Amino acid sequence: MSTTESNKAVVKDFIDSLFSKGDLGAVDTYLAEDFVNHDPPFGVTADREGMRTAGGMMRAAFPDWRSELHELIAEGDLVVERFTAGGTHRGEVMGMPGTGKPISLPGINIFRLRDGLIVERWGRLDDLGLLRQLGVIPA
């Protein structure tokens, strides 16, 4: 397997483990000690623990949270993921109690890998759409 294909597999396995399966230990398995999240979600820290916190928050609010992969493109040490994630809003998130409604969150992530581990992430998620679905802001 080429390095590019191996990097794609690492990213896919990380996303599946942390977000679709809710395995918070995926942070230790797939993220380098010096991992930096350039766009940390939900106000969490930009390090590994912030990513673990984000995964835990999503799993607590959306116990059935899944990430559907649409595209996984790699070149050199970079892997780009285009996805739609979603789940049923069952618990509190961003101050909003569970509604029982399905939530959808499309986005794009760029990961940089080194020696088989993710060292950086840049992401663009539909935060405005998420806030509208949660009822935090009017639709």
Side-chain angles (χ1 to χ4, degrees):
M1 180 183 299
S2 70
T3 301
T4 302
E5 289 303 313
S6 177
N7 286 348
K8 287 169 68 173
V10 167
V11 168
K12 183 180 183 315
D13 290 348
F14 171 66
I15 298 300
D16 287 345
S17 294
L18 181 61
F19 291 105
S20 292
K21 295 177 183 168
D23 177 8
L24 301 181
V27 166
D28 302 316
T29 304
Y30 298 101
L31 301 185
E33 288 287 333
D34 58 343
F35 170 78
V36 176
N37 190 347
H38 297 282
D39 301 297
F42 315 113
V44 300
T45 59
D47 57 5
R48 285 170 28 139
E49 290 310 310
M51 188 61 85
R52 188 185 325 268
T53 299
M57 286 172 39
M58 295 310 287
R59 183 58 54 181
F62 308 94
D64 60 346
W65 192 256
R66 309 286 298 165
S67 185
E68 179 185 348
L69 179 65
H70 302 301
E71 316 241 13
L72 198 60
I73 302 165
E75 184 170 337
D77 62 352
L78 298 175
V79 176
V80 178
E81 170 208 25
R82 186 176 69 82
F83 67 94
T84 301
T88 308
H89 184 205
R90 302 265 182 227
E92 189 271 327
V93 65
M94 292 186 225
M96 296 300 296
T99 62
K101 294 180 183 176
I103 300 293
S104 177
L105 178 64
I108 295 173
N109 286 314
I110 302 171
F111 298 94
R112 187 174 71 81
L113 289 86
R114 179 187 65 226
D115 300 326
L117 295 173
I118 300 169
V119 292
E120 291 182 276
R121 175 200 169 262
W122 297 265
R124 286 294 172 253
L125 309 177
D126 182 12
D127 295 330
L128 182 58
L130 178 63
L131 293 172
R132 285 182 173 148
Q133 291 174 77
L134 292 172
V136 174
I137 59 173

